Amino acid sequence: MKKSLFLLFKRLLLALSLSIFILPTIWVNSPLLPLLAKPETRIFEQVWQTVNDNFYDPKMNGVNWQVIKEKYKPEVLQAKSDQEVAAIFNQMLSELKTSHTRYYTQDDLAYYQLLGIFYGQGIELPKELKKFFPNRKFEYSGIGLFTKEINGKTFVSSILDESPADKAGLKVGDQIINVDGNLYCPIGSFADKAGQTVKMLIQRSPTVGGTPSPQLSSRQEITIVPKMFDASTMFLEAQMASIEILEQENKKIGYVHIWSNAADPYQQQLQNELIYGRLKNADGLILDLRDGWGGGDISYLNIFTAEQSPSVTHVQRNGRRYTYNYQWKKPVVMLVNEGSRSSKEILAFNFQQNQIGQVIGTKTTGAVVAGRPYIMQDGSLVYVAVADVFLNDNQRLEGKGVTPDINVPFSLEYAQGVDPQKQKAIETLLKVL
């Protein structure tokens, strides 16, 4: 009996010894080990799970999300750079065919701008963000422009008013060749260069048969001094800087570019300008909602649509009278394009429904769901569509957009700053003034 127990114990000990030797060997040679060990894979798992838990449609817009995970996970293992990893993440997210669903890193302008929009104005930071932004400032060094890739070339698509790019004379439609001799990168080209001089090589005119157009200078080197942008305030500052009065045919046409209307201060600033400020005496108004970001509320149109309210007149000691109308009762038109997204599209829709004025430009992008940013372990951000949006109970703009009343195409390449949509808005207003 004792001998049998001894043999049994000996065999168990041998099996345990073999297991201790064999299992690590199997583990080391398993393809799962490097997959699980890669930091990118851990972020991949977190991104996938975050979308799985928070995407507005539990049926994932008809996509088998588990199958998608197995499809893209091996690609992460094979990726050779952070840029490739980010591209794989976004390819995976694009399978959901829904706006407001994208992955951003610190190399993306949108990364800082989204954080500034969602967590600016004194909003408490989530704990995930505090370790990456202990001073609460979502800052980056830049020059204040947006770009668009067309046929492998990078073109300036819009420029923030009074930004370094604006002051240096860059124009919408300029092709960016390089910055300081290197390929253009929205963040990397200007990192740690605030207050320093950079040289941007641009091409302003197209080539004909491979040679520059003789009428215009083809390539120019433009000197620019980047600055630090605070993403919490940059769009409000650009909105204030955009305001102008255009005098044509003895009429004063007011203009303002709403780069983002994601918080009440943007709307309050606009109302102050309309009632008390620089736009008060304009005969008509151009409300430019092209490009930038959305957010905001449809109540922002109340200044144009609310029932008639009485004017208020102040009479001062010296007898001067100041009369204020708390509505905009004069003609107004709205500019939109494929960069008008989210609540800007809702505003355009209601602008048409209430027949406030003409909507001019090109069809909006059709990105009308509610999104929310989630911070990953490495500080990267996944923007997730967390709620579907319907107008008038059953009207859905996601994937459809808003078609303008007056369609005005805008060919971006080498536009040289010419803005046919804004010009059409001026002509439209002059006809009714």
Side-chain angles (χ1 to χ4, degrees):
M1 182 69 178
K2 289 182 178 180
K3 186 177 181 179
S4 299
L5 288 173
F6 176 76
L7 289 173
L8 177 61
F9 177 75
K10 187 176 180 181
R11 288 170 182 168
L12 288 173
L13 187 61
L14 178 61
L16 180 60
S17 300
L18 288 172
S19 298
I20 292 173
F21 174 75
I22 292 171
L23 284 177
T25 304
I26 296 173
W27 177 248
V28 167
N29 290 284
S30 169
L32 290 176
L33 180 60
L35 184 64
L36 294 174
K38 283 173 69 79
E40 302 85 26
T41 308
R42 293 197 298 271
I43 302 303
F44 173 86
E45 293 281 351
Q46 190 179 12
V47 169
W48 183 91
Q49 194 65 50
T50 299
V51 175
N52 185 68
D53 294 344
N54 297 282
F55 189 69
Y56 77 91
D57 180 7
K59 296 181 180 179
M60 308 305 287
N61 209 19
V63 173
N64 187 323
W65 197 231
Q66 184 63 42
V67 169
I68 294 297
K69 180 180 182 180
E70 300 308 319
K71 174 182 176 182
Y72 287 98
K73 197 171 185 180
E75 294 188 21
V76 175
L77 178 61
Q78 299 170 8
K80 295 179 175 58
S81 67
D82 292 342
Q83 291 77 16
E84 283 189 29
V85 170
I88 292 168
F89 286 1
N90 279 316
Q91 183 61 37
M92 178 181 73
L93 296 175
S94 72
E95 300 270 8
L96 293 169
K97 295 180 172 58
T98 304
S99 68
H100 295 68
T101 305
R102 189 166 178 82
Y103 177 77
Y104 298 103
T105 71
Q106 291 88 340
D107 291 329
D108 298 309
L109 292 174
Y111 173 85
Y112 302 93
Q113 293 167 2
L114 280 170
L115 292 179
I117 288 170
F118 277 89
Y119 299 112
Q121 310 299 326
I123 297 173
E124 178 67 20
L125 291 187
K127 61 181 181 180
E128 298 90 346
L129 266 182
K130 289 180 179 178
K131 62 181 178 181
F132 297 106
F133 297 95
N135 63 356
R136 286 194 52 88
K137 289 189 176 182
F138 308 115
E139 292 183 321
Y140 64 90
S141 178
I143 61 173
L145 55 73
F146 298 90
T147 59
K148 185 176 181 180
E149 297 293 319
I150 303 175
N151 297 324
K153 299 176 181 178
T154 302
F155 291 91
V156 176
S157 57
S158 55
I159 300 173
L160 293 179
D161 300 277
E162 293 298 317
S163 65
D166 186 25
K167 293 176 180 178
L170 277 171
K171 296 182 179 181
V172 169
D174 286 346
Q175 180 192 348
I176 300 176
I177 307 300
N178 63 51
V179 179
D180 285 339
N182 300 308
L183 291 177
Y184 167 77
C185 177
I187 295 293
S189 291
F190 312 105
D192 302 319
K193 295 182 180 179
Q196 303 175 29
T197 296
V198 300
K199 294 185 182 299
M200 178 176 282
L201 183 64
I202 61 103
Q203 183 163 315
R204 185 153 287 167
S205 60
T207 58
V208 180
T211 59
S213 169
Q215 290 82 15
L216 299 165
S217 174
S218 178
R219 291 194 172 185
Q220 302 178 33
E221 187 176 75
I222 295 181
T223 300
I224 307 176
V225 179
K227 75 170 190 176
M228 293 302 296
F229 282 94
D230 183 342
S232 301
T233 59
M234 58 183 288
F235 291 122
L236 182 59
E237 292 169 356
Q239 174 180 312
M240 295 171 67
S242 75
I243 294 173
E244 61 179 332
I245 297 293
L246 307 167
E247 297 196 28
Q248 292 196 19
E249 299 181 10
N250 296 319
K251 299 294 182 182
K252 295 180 179 180
I253 296 176
Y255 170 87
V256 59
H257 196 148
I258 309 298
W259 290 99
S260 171
N261 63 331
D264 289 342
Y266 298 89
Q267 180 64 13
Q268 188 61 56
Q269 196 272 335
L270 173 62
Q271 290 182 355
N272 288 343
E273 294 289 355
L274 290 173
I275 297 169
Y276 311 109
R278 290 170 286 174
L279 297 172
K280 176 178 180 291
N281 295 318
D283 300 304
L285 176 68
I286 299 172
L287 196 61
D288 191 345
L289 267 60
R290 295 176 296 177
D291 302 316
W293 293 91
D297 194 289
I298 59 172
S299 65
Y300 287 177
L301 288 180
N302 286 353
I303 194 169
F304 304 109
T305 62
E307 292 183 6
Q308 296 295 318
S309 58
S311 63
V312 176
T313 300
H314 294 175
V315 182
Q316 297 182 354
R317 179 186 177 102
N318 59 11
R320 290 186 178 179
R321 300 168 64 89
Y322 296 89
T323 299
Y324 304 100
N325 290 301
Y326 291 88
Q327 279 185 281
W328 182 267
K329 302 176 183 179
K330 294 172 279 190
V332 55
V333 298
M334 178 182 286
L335 284 175
V336 298
N337 66 2
E338 61 279 0
S340 304
R341 63 196 315 273
S342 198
S343 75
K344 286 185 175 179
E345 300 183 78
I346 296 176
L347 292 177
F349 176 87
N350 281 278
F351 200 82
Q352 288 180 326
Q353 282 226 319
N354 287 282
Q355 299 181 337
I356 298 171
Q358 298 286 307
V359 175
I360 299 168
T362 49
K363 189 176 181 180
T364 65
T365 192
V368 190
V369 291
R372 175 187 165 186
Y374 293 86
I375 306 303
M376 303 294 99
Q377 297 170 10
D378 62 348
S380 60
L381 179 157
V382 60
Y383 196 32
V384 182
V386 295
D388 207 353
V389 174
F390 294 88
L391 305 180
N392 300 329
D393 292 330
N394 60 5
Q395 184 116 12
R396 191 169 186 259
L397 295 181
E398 173 72 12
K400 299 176 182 176
V402 175
T403 301
D405 301 304
I406 303 175
N407 184 66
V408 182
F410 193 151
S411 180
L412 179 63
E413 301 101 308
Y414 312 109
Q416 301 182 45
V418 176
D419 190 341
Q421 295 172 342
K422 185 176 179 180
Q423 186 57 44
K424 186 64 176 180
I426 294 171
E427 294 170 5
T428 302
L429 278 177
L430 288 174
K431 288 179 181 179
V432 297
L433 291 178

